[in-house]
Amino acid sequence: MSELWDAEAARFDDEPDHGLRDPATRAAWLELLTAHLPAAPARVADLGCGTGTLSVLMADAGHVVDGVDFSPEMVARAREKGADRSGVTFAVADAGRPPLEPGRYAAVLCRHVLWALPDKAAALARWVDLLHDDGRLVLVEGSWHTGAGLTAAETEELLRSAGRAPATYRLDDPVLWGGPITDERYLVVA
Ligand SMILES: C[S@@+](CC[C@H](N)C(=O)[O-])C[C@H]1O[C@@H](n2cnc3c(N)ncnc32)[C@H](O)[C@@H]1O
């Protein structure tokens, strides 16, 4: 499965919300994540970090970020992106079983990854274990026009089953995606 993502890596950042090359899109994601993550500096795990765009954005915002992705090609690009930053590390590993120390994280950030995991409940249980007592999960997911993804109701149910209380925010602003959207995209804090 990681081979499929390896093959996506070279062009991954071409999507507006992946590479955040447009300053307006970048600023919108910075504002969104800053609003929902704890105040910096906090220790954040970015699970399924891809090319590391959000990890580096959050490191630049003052957080200490550990990114995990099972695609070596994605992680190679993330390491390049983070090379001149302190406070950001990347590991090649399964996001469903992140090799991170339990109880050390103020937030687990995960964008567009939960939907793809084979055992979502087990992954969420491990992510919760990574958190401090007052830590939070910040998940960005969607139910896309392609038919892939998770509805907000499905994600909320998974979170309730993991013992968390979800608060969901719709992400309808076109600036986040580089244009208007017609499908369901959202952020959940739990
Ligand atoms: C749609 S991309 C999102 C990347 C990044 N979170 C972002 O929003 O820019 C999905 C990423 O999840 C990774 N991924 C999927 N399943 C994974 C797993 N079981 N363990 C680790 N990474 C995984 C893929 O390699 C890919 O980089």
Side-chain angles (χ1 to χ4, degrees):
M1 188 65 178
S2 60
E3 298 80 13
L4 295 178
W5 288 106
D6 277 341
E8 297 288 321
R11 289 194 313 276
F12 189 77
D13 282 353
D14 293 348
E15 288 295 321
D17 57 309
H18 294 170
L20 304 185
R21 290 171 177 150
D22 180 331
T25 299
R26 191 174 191 81
W29 279 98
L30 177 60
E31 185 183 357
L32 175 74
L33 296 179
T34 301
H36 293 290
L37 286 170
R43 184 169 280 273
V44 177
D46 182 9
L47 303 182
C49 62
T51 58
T53 303
L54 296 187
S55 306
V56 169
L57 190 69
M58 290 302 93
D60 287 351
H63 295 296
V64 176
V65 184
D66 295 319
V68 172
D69 199 288
F70 70 177
S71 157
E73 289 294 331
M74 291 283 190
V75 169
R77 284 161 179 81
R79 286 186 174 135
E80 267 173 41
K81 227 175 253 179
D84 56 353
R85 265 85 168 180
S86 61
V88 59
T89 69
F90 295 102
V92 176
D94 183 359
R97 296 173 176 273
L100 303 175
E101 200 178 320
R104 282 194 68 202
Y105 290 83
V108 167
L109 171 66
C110 186
R111 184 176 73 164
H112 301 163
V113 181
L114 181 66
W115 70 275
L117 298 184
D119 190 342
K120 297 168 185 50
L124 282 173
R126 291 197 188 94
W127 298 357
V128 169
D129 282 348
L130 296 179
L131 297 172
H132 301 158
D133 288 346
D134 58 351
R136 67 188 81 168
L137 303 177
V138 178
L139 309 181
V140 179
E141 287 294 337
S143 175
W144 298 292
H145 61 277
T146 55
L150 290 169
T151 65
E154 288 169 332
T155 301
E156 289 163 358
E157 188 49 39
L158 282 163
L159 286 163
R160 282 192 206 95
S161 297
R164 310 296 290 192
T168 301
Y169 304 85
R170 303 258 329 182
L171 303 182
D172 292 332
D173 188 340
V175 74
L176 291 166
W177 310 108
I181 56 159
T182 54
D183 46 17
E184 185 187 22
R185 306 187 192 197
Y186 54 91
L187 178 149
V188 189
V189 181

